[in-house]
Amino acid sequence: MTPFSPYYAVIFTSVRSDGGDEAYRTTAARMVELARQQPGFLGMDSARDGIGITVSYWESLEAIKAWKANMEHLAAQARAPEWYRHYRVRICKVERDYEGAPH
Amino acid sequence: MTPFSPYYAVIFTSVRSDGGDEAYRTTAARMVELARQQPGFLGMDSARDGIGITVSYWESLEAIKAWKANMEHLAAQARAPEWYRHYRVRICKVERDYEGAPH
């Protein structure tokens, strides 16, 4: 066991607007690819049915800031109003985690 | 504008095992109903496609502890190994949030 190191999570919840599907999908896939290459990136979970929830995990707040300021990511963020009816971003410190599996 | 009050998020990610669908669905719906009645409950977002992600929001760590210790919730937690191939719970402090909407 290693001691627990606090890390950070970005919870991105969104409701898609109608249309723009192809550009949206291409860009979303590219953003996942790009995020994975960022320093301090730890992982990502994503699901959409009605609402979309993407949670990305990061080593530090600095890593999150650098990702937010990435040029290609900024260009994608600028198109958010086309693609989302509404979205919300929550920057969180993960204070504790535990996992479970079958007995 | 009201000043930002820190609050807490519980990120529950899971992969369902095969079977047990009816009991699972009934229990999951009941847990949502029950969580909403808990003191300090602020809201919930949930999506599943492949992986399931449920994020619930709470006023305090105490509210999260009380919910985890709720008798009916404990009974549901005890059945988690039947219903999930894997799950992970992350307790987070939301340090900042912002939302966006179309221009």
Side-chain angles (χ1 to χ4, degrees):
Chain A
M1 291 263 298
T2 51
F4 181 81
S5 299
Y7 59 97
Y8 292 83
V10 179
I11 305 171
F12 179 74
T13 50
S14 63
V15 179
R16 282 273 285 121
S17 49
D18 300 327
D21 281 3
E22 200 181 319
Y24 168 75
R25 272 197 298 267
T26 305
T27 305
R30 172 65 183 146
M31 288 308 111
V32 171
E33 187 191 332
L34 202 59
R36 290 189 193 287
Q37 296 165 16
Q38 287 289 304
F41 176 84
L42 299 175
M44 187 182 286
D45 291 312
S46 199
R48 177 176 300 278
D49 67 87
I51 189 172
I53 307 178
T54 296
V55 189
S56 56
Y57 307 100
W58 301 87
E59 273 177 13
S60 65
L61 287 174
E62 291 65 36
I64 294 169
K65 271 184 209 155
W67 167 232
K68 190 173 194 296
N70 174 284
M71 291 300 289
E72 205 176 331
H73 189 200
L74 282 176
Q77 289 170 60
R79 298 191 66 182
E82 283 175 55
W83 292 326
Y84 298 115
R85 192 167 301 163
H86 178 257
Y87 66 89
R88 188 153 179 168
V89 179
R90 292 178 171 91
I91 313 288
C92 309
K93 183 176 187 181
V94 182
E95 305 208 328
R96 201 160 97 72
D97 73 12
Y98 58 92
E99 45 191 340
H103 291 316
Chain B
M1 292 263 297
T2 50
F4 181 80
S5 300
Y7 58 97
Y8 291 82
V10 179
I11 305 172
F12 179 74
T13 51
S14 62
V15 179
R16 282 273 285 122
S17 49
D18 301 326
D21 281 4
E22 199 181 319
Y24 168 74
R25 271 198 299 266
T26 306
T27 305
R30 172 64 184 149
M31 288 307 112
V32 171
E33 187 190 332
L34 202 59
R36 290 189 194 286
Q37 296 167 16
Q38 287 289 304
F41 175 84
L42 299 175
M44 186 182 285
D45 292 313
S46 198
R48 176 175 301 276
D49 68 86
I51 189 173
I53 307 177
T54 296
V55 189
S56 55
Y57 307 101
W58 302 87
E59 274 176 13
S60 65
L61 287 174
E62 290 65 35
I64 294 170
K65 270 184 210 155
W67 167 232
K68 189 172 194 295
N70 173 285
M71 290 302 287
E72 205 176 330
H73 189 200
L74 283 175
Q77 290 170 60
R79 298 191 65 181
E82 282 174 56
W83 291 326
Y84 299 115
R85 191 167 301 163
H86 178 256
Y87 66 89
R88 189 152 179 168
V89 179
R90 291 178 172 92
I91 314 288
C92 309
K93 183 177 186 181
V94 182
E95 304 208 328
R96 202 161 97 72
D97 72 12
Y98 57 92
E99 44 191 338
H103 291 317

